[in-house]
Amino acid sequence: MAGLHSSLDKPSGQAVANALTAIRNDIAYEGFAFRAGKDMRAIMRMRGLDAWSAFSSSWNDLGLDIYMADGGHYRRRRFAAFNAANGVVTRKPHQSHYQSRDHNPLNGGIERWFMPIAESVAANGFTRGILGFCTTLFDATASSESIVSPWHVELHQFRIEATPSGTGLPTPEGPHRDGVDWVCVMLVKRTNVSSGVTQIFGPDGRRLGEFTLTDPLDAVFLDDRRVFHGVTPIVPLDSASKACRDVLVLTFRREERSSDRERA
């Protein structure tokens, strides 16, 4: 099996170490942490940022999501799964993506087989860097009792499209949890998009935060066990052109929870 093997990055330099600690503290206090693209570029500068152009252009080669129970044709995606343990990230054989209906009442309850992420994307320097950074972050944020278990990591490439005659729904299931431990959502590109506001809620429905991912590398890190997240529908700014919202989603859960079959 072709795979990705990458040493898990550790923060290099006091500034990056401080940035990681600040993200950890925000997650511990609020259940989520938003970071602007300029802050993430500083973090990723020595972690594959120079490979961003090839990484981001791969969103132009996604397959149509044929599993939309609402009949929509507004979502394109690719998918891959990885194992992260003992300082190494390894790509797993291609597999289905599964959510229970408890976490996804619209599209859950079935195995969904999406197009695999291209090997060139899995091996891209930015892919390796963000996987390494998130593994370092979530290892540091997780309880010490669970750190010996490997992570099951899922990487999703999403493109949501909207036209003058059709709204695009980034989260058609509404505010939700993914059934994992930790989530990273990063904006790749936003073209001719109006709205698409990220909203964070507590289990009681109370709104905890609201912001819009507008610039490349704008990111939010989520404690999926504590908060719900959703994104408002998108429409074109210019009604004469299509709107596109490209995002990277990474989810992390400890392997001992694999029997739950609750994947992002």
Side-chain angles (χ1 to χ4, degrees):
M1 176 192 67
L4 165 68
H5 297 269
S6 170
S7 295
L8 298 182
D9 292 335
K10 295 183 182 301
S12 58
Q14 192 58 48
V16 176
N18 291 344
L20 185 143
T21 298
I23 294 172
R24 286 178 56 197
N25 290 342
D26 284 354
I27 295 173
Y29 182 70
E30 298 186 286
F32 70 96
F34 167 76
R35 288 298 181 271
K38 63 181 178 62
D39 299 318
M40 290 306 302
R41 283 191 290 276
I43 290 170
M44 297 301 298
R45 186 163 291 121
M46 302 302 293
R47 292 173 170 75
L49 185 61
D50 57 349
W52 173 260
S53 179
F55 176 78
S56 61
S57 67
S58 69
W59 264 255
N60 294 322
D61 187 29
L62 307 185
L64 184 68
D65 186 341
I66 62 173
Y67 295 97
M68 299 300 296
D70 62 1
H73 294 85
Y74 52 81
R75 184 157 76 179
R76 297 181 178 275
R77 64 193 296 174
R78 284 183 184 255
F79 168 78
F82 300 83
N83 176 275
N86 302 318
V88 176
V89 176
T90 305
R91 187 171 184 174
K92 294 184 176 183
H94 191 53
Q95 58 189 253
S96 65
H97 168 60
Y98 181 88
Q99 289 175 287
S100 76
R101 289 194 175 274
D102 289 338
H103 292 105
N104 189 335
L106 178 66
N107 297 319
I110 61 171
E111 292 188 348
R112 291 178 284 166
W113 288 90
F114 300 115
M115 289 179 63
I117 286 172
E119 191 60 36
S120 60
V121 177
N124 177 276
F126 189 88
T127 304
R128 296 197 305 269
I130 193 62
L131 283 169
F133 176 76
C134 285
T135 303
T136 299
L137 172 64
F138 297 141
D139 268 342
T141 308
S143 65
S144 59
E145 292 79 8
S146 69
I147 201 167
V148 295
S149 301
W151 291 111
H152 173 82
V153 183
E154 296 189 352
L155 190 158
H156 303 259
Q157 293 180 286
F158 284 105
R159 169 169 286 179
I160 303 300
E161 300 175 333
T163 65
S165 59
T167 299
L169 306 178
T171 53
E173 67 272 42
H176 64 284
R177 290 187 291 198
D178 288 331
V180 296
D181 295 321
W182 310 99
V183 180
C184 168
V185 181
M186 177 175 283
L187 185 74
V188 174
K189 191 175 183 181
R190 181 182 166 103
T191 305
N192 194 37
V193 170
S194 177
S195 194
V197 178
T198 298
Q199 299 174 325
I200 312 297
F201 300 90
D204 59 359
R206 180 170 53 94
R207 186 172 298 175
L208 303 177
E210 181 175 290
F211 44 85
T212 304
L213 305 181
T214 57
D215 297 323
L217 279 83
D218 279 0
V220 59
F221 303 90
L222 303 160
D223 184 340
D224 192 59
R225 299 158 300 181
R226 291 174 54 195
V227 299
F228 288 68
H229 63 280
V231 181
T232 62
I234 67 169
V235 296
L237 275 172
D238 178 358
S239 61
S241 303
K242 181 170 66 176
C244 292
R245 181 180 186 266
D246 295 347
V247 297
L248 167 72
V249 176
L250 295 172
T251 66
F252 284 67
R253 62 176 172 83
R254 290 298 186 188
E255 286 285 10
E256 69 258 28
R257 299 183 59 192
S258 61
S259 60
D260 298 338
R261 289 181 58 79
E262 299 300 328
R263 302 181 187 169

